[in-house]
Amino acid sequence: MYTEERQSKILNSLSTAGRIDVSELSSMFQVSRETIRRDLRLLEREHKLLRTHGGAILPEQDSPALKPKDAAEPSVEVRTTLNIPEKEIICKYAAARIVNGDTIFVDNSTTCIHLYQYIPQNMQITFLTNSIPFLVECAKTSCPNHTIVCLGGILKKTNLSIYGNVALENAKQYFPSKAFISCTGITDQSQVTDSGIQEIDIKKTLLSVSKEVYLLADHTKFRPAGQVYLSSLSEMDYIITDAHADYSYLKLSEEIKNKIHIAT
């Protein structure tokens, strides 16, 4: 069977079931799992599917049931299943930049959820976050060296984050040594955009006072745009992505190119 024919059949299965599994496809077509993963990567680049941990789902616009009607972004349940291997590689690479004594802001992205598992427990670290899932990750271990600060406020149920005046005023009390954030997409004008309108002020406040800002952006973040402007790419100190990222559409200066790190 030709590659094109196999990929067509993969899309047919996906349109019928709404979700596909790498192992099942491997058995169905009698090819290796890595062959199927290559197929899924190519189809994702063509915006025909979204890869998840162990498989793929339909793109958001083709599957309205996957997104709450009142949300401008995919539900947290969907986003936490997307591109997990890439997110983990990126977070492991980023965590290696953390040093003893750091005060760190971690945003409400599903990418940064994976950061905590790679931070040594013997380090004295203070974490600031408005992300409930990140707080849950922190609660899985009992580490006296880590201080976890929740920027308390209003709960946003669609993405399990905290926002509002209380959270913003709390954020203004801190001056992080490092900020780790992700985004919805990077436009062709090198603008970093996001979808969480309620939380954007918290992000902007802490990015403006952090000594170093790390943008953790897997390959799917290049080109798509969110509905609200967060920052210019030039304002990032480090841009960490994966080996599948294609940012050739960006007219980057040498200075910005030097900020891009490919996590391996």
Side-chain angles (χ1 to χ4, degrees):
M1 182 182 295
Y2 292 110
T3 299
E4 293 79 5
E5 182 181 0
R6 184 177 62 249
Q7 291 176 358
S8 177
K9 290 181 180 294
I10 288 173
L11 291 175
N12 286 338
S13 297
L14 182 58
S15 64
T16 300
R19 183 182 294 271
I20 50 179
D21 180 84
V22 169
S23 297
E24 292 177 1
L25 292 174
S26 176
S27 299
M28 181 189 303
F29 297 112
Q30 295 296 297
V31 296
S32 69
R33 294 184 183 184
E34 183 53 39
T35 295
I36 297 297
R37 292 189 186 100
R38 283 197 297 269
D39 287 338
L40 298 185
R41 283 197 293 267
L42 178 60
L43 291 170
E44 184 181 50
R45 289 173 195 163
E46 295 173 352
H47 308 292
K48 294 177 179 177
L49 54 75
L50 292 173
R51 285 191 299 144
T52 65
H53 186 54
I57 60 175
L58 287 170
E60 200 67 30
Q61 64 269 25
D62 294 332
S63 183
L66 294 177
K67 183 165 71 172
K69 293 181 180 179
D70 60 346
E73 59 186 335
S75 68
V76 68
E77 291 86 355
V78 172
R79 291 189 294 124
T80 52
T81 68
L82 301 177
N83 308 314
I84 291 177
E86 290 87 349
K87 291 175 179 177
E88 290 183 334
I89 289 171
I90 288 169
C91 283
K92 183 177 181 180
Y93 187 96
R97 275 66 192 160
I98 295 171
V99 298
N100 193 52
D102 270 341
T103 295
I104 297 167
F105 168 61
V106 180
D107 79 350
N108 62 307
S109 67
T110 56
T111 297
C112 290
I113 293 172
H114 303 280
L115 188 67
Y116 188 75
Q117 64 182 304
Y118 299 111
I119 300 174
Q121 294 193 19
N122 63 344
M123 283 187 176
Q124 296 283 344
I125 305 293
T126 298
F127 298 90
L128 316 172
T129 190
N130 64 326
S131 166
I132 299 299
F134 185 78
L135 291 171
V136 171
E137 286 301 306
C138 295
K140 289 179 180 178
T141 60
S142 177
C143 180
N145 295 319
H146 294 172
T147 300
I148 318 298
V149 179
C150 175
L151 302 174
I154 302 170
L155 172 64
K156 183 176 178 181
K157 294 181 180 179
T158 54
N159 68 359
L160 299 180
S161 65
I162 302 295
Y163 72 99
N165 290 336
V166 172
L168 184 58
E169 288 304 312
N170 286 341
K172 291 178 180 178
Q173 308 306 309
Y174 297 95
F175 297 85
S177 50
K178 295 179 174 71
F180 293 89
I181 67 165
S182 191
C183 63
T184 298
I186 302 168
T187 73
D188 57 6
Q189 301 298 313
S190 296
Q191 297 168 322
V192 182
T193 65
D194 213 353
S195 295
I197 294 176
Q198 289 96 335
E199 308 94 318
I200 200 71
D201 287 342
I202 296 172
K203 271 193 180 185
K204 286 183 176 180
T205 295
L206 287 166
L207 296 192
S208 68
V209 296
S210 294
K211 292 181 180 178
E212 294 180 345
V213 179
Y214 293 73
L215 178 64
L216 312 186
D218 68 64
H219 63 280
T220 65
K221 306 297 185 181
F222 292 89
R223 282 193 185 280
Q227 64 187 111
V228 58
Y229 174 80
L230 174 60
S231 174
S232 167
L233 202 60
S234 62
E235 295 177 45
M236 302 294 111
D237 295 296
Y238 297 86
I239 303 155
I240 304 176
T241 187
D242 61 80
H244 303 301
D246 178 11
Y247 43 88
S248 57
Y249 68 99
L250 296 169
K251 296 178 181 179
L252 300 178
S253 66
E254 286 301 315
E255 180 183 1
I256 296 180
K257 286 180 182 178
N258 290 334
K259 295 180 179 181
I260 298 175
H261 296 251
I262 306 299
T264 56

